[in-house]
Amino acid sequence: MAEAISSLPETPIPSPSGSREFRAPVMTSVRWRICALLFVANTINYTDRQVLGVLAPLLQVKIGWTETQYGYIVVAFQVAYAVGLLVAGGIMDAVGVRLGYVLSVGLWSLAAMSHALARTPLTFGVSRFFLGLGESGNFPAAIKTVAEWFPKKERALATGFFNCGTNVGATIAPVVVPWIATTIGWQWAFLFTGGFSLIWVILWWSVYKHPEVNPKVNAAELAHIRSDPSEPARKFPWLRLLVYRQSWALLIGKFLTDPVWWFLLFWGPKFFVSTFGIKLTGLALPLIIIYTGAAVGSIGGGWLPAQFIKRGLSVRSARRLAMLICALAITPMTLVGQIHNMGVAIAILSLAAAAHQGWSANIFTLASDVFPRYAVGSVTGIAGFGGAVGGIVSALLVGPLLDKYHNYFWPFLVAGTLYLLALLIIRILIPRAEAIAHV
């Protein structure tokens, strides 16, 4: 590393005495441009994903499904997402993120547009299945890209930045989708959003190159990216990861907490319509507020541990403290099912969404804290599988609960307690500051 830095070309600058001094060139910032592409991918990802949630109150009338049937449609997405995550990380590790991302986004783009042809709960379920299969590659690809382009000290911030795109996408959907649906028809909402995914595929394929071969990355930035101790590339069966308790900590943590986010995405619009009687076009304001809070939380979740590290905490302690703060901020969500003031409900859900995204940024980054770079994609996929299975379980429970009780008391009560439980389990399974050298 010292040789790489010493070989950097120096720029002569005049000194006051007239002699010439030499200064190392300014480090390029290509890694942040790559992160910006990840941000756009996640924005499109969640716009595509959220279209059905926003249109659910309208389609429930037009198509005629029950809450339980809607739960099955959500489950179709979650099953494909879970199955896809079992192999998506391994695919990204095997073929690389340039090709892997193209395959993932290309599939979900076509699946998103296929919703325009659906007319029954079954056909919607088929479209959701293939959407989930395509979208399962998104986070393993993004996390692996961050691991390849950023040193460990910057990964939480980079993850928080690109993960912020999920909130932007979830914010765009309630603004644009109702307008499209009421102006030219609900089918066009799926066609427009799916079409943007194809545009991103073309951009990614034409722009992305690995840092070692990217001509826009100068030696200073490459040295910065590779400032962590080097890790040899290794091939391994991903099932080997299941022998590590760290893998189970991430899987269980995602299993318990991801369903809360899925619940907000797929049932949040329906909650406001059924509880407060607002119309489809009135969903924009509450959802914009909630997901704007989530965007702030996503970046803040990556920023927090960096500040704690600057103040002398270890990476492990900083990560856990940030996750504890996020978990505590979500607990007021337990009260939402009993609140009849929409402003108060929006405020609590905004805080919860922000805290979830802060939590998410750190639990994703925890994977790169404890596993070597070459295994990050696979372990992220396994953890994401746990989150998707949790989403399946919650969707199978929430639909019948709403059909039976016609209120949201129990879903919100349970959701607000899960993060503290998840953090406790993570602490038990990863008790010490230890990283796995190789798998």
Side-chain angles (χ1 to χ4, degrees), residues 67-76 78 259 262-263 266-267 388-402:
E67 293 285 0
T68 300
Q69 287 175 322
Y70 179 63
Y72 292 153
I73 294 171
V74 173
V75 166
Q78 298 284 12
W262 297 120
F263 173 66
F266 296 134
W267 269 278
V389 171
I392 293 170
V393 173
S394 68
L396 290 173
L397 293 175
V398 170
L401 274 175
L402 293 178

Side-chain angles (χ1 to χ4, degrees), residues 108-189:
W108 98 48
S109 174
L110 296 175
M113 290 188 286
S114 75
H115 285 68
L117 302 175
R119 293 296 183 273
T120 66
L122 176 61
T123 51
F124 271 104
V126 172
S127 292
R128 297 307 284 180
F129 180 88
F130 285 102
L131 181 68
L133 202 60
E135 290 197 357
S136 66
N138 179 57
F139 275 102
I143 294 296
K144 184 174 178 62
T145 302
V146 167
E148 290 181 349
W149 277 87
F150 290 86
K152 287 185 177 181
K153 62 184 177 183
E154 289 184 342
R155 288 179 193 170
L157 182 58
T159 301
F161 177 74
F162 85 68
N163 196 41
C164 181
T166 63
N167 313 300
V168 175
T171 302
I172 290 173
V175 176
V176 176
V177 169
W179 180 84
I180 295 174
T182 56
T183 303
I184 57 176
W186 61 265
Q187 297 92 337
W188 287 98

Side-chain angles (χ1 to χ4, degrees), residues 231-315:
E231 298 171 359
R234 298 171 62 95
K235 293 184 177 181
F236 61 95
W238 66 264
L239 283 174
R240 185 185 300 170
L241 293 169
L242 296 180
V243 306
Y244 296 99
R245 63 180 184 275
Q246 292 90 339
S247 297
W248 287 100
L250 294 167
L251 186 151
I252 295 171
K254 296 283 285 180
F255 173 84
L256 290 173
T257 59
D258 273 17
V260 179
W261 184 247
W262 297 120
F263 173 66
L264 287 176
L265 283 178
F266 296 134
W267 269 278
K270 292 170 63 63
F271 164 71
F272 284 105
V273 170
S274 63
T275 304
F276 301 107
I278 62 177
K279 296 181 180 179
L280 183 66
T281 52
L283 284 173
L285 181 59
L287 295 184
I288 286 172
I289 294 173
I290 290 169
Y291 292 118
T292 298
V296 174
S298 182
I299 296 175
W303 176 83
L304 264 181
Q307 301 310 303
F308 295 148
I309 291 170
K310 287 180 181 178
R311 286 162 174 75
L313 291 183
S314 66
V315 172

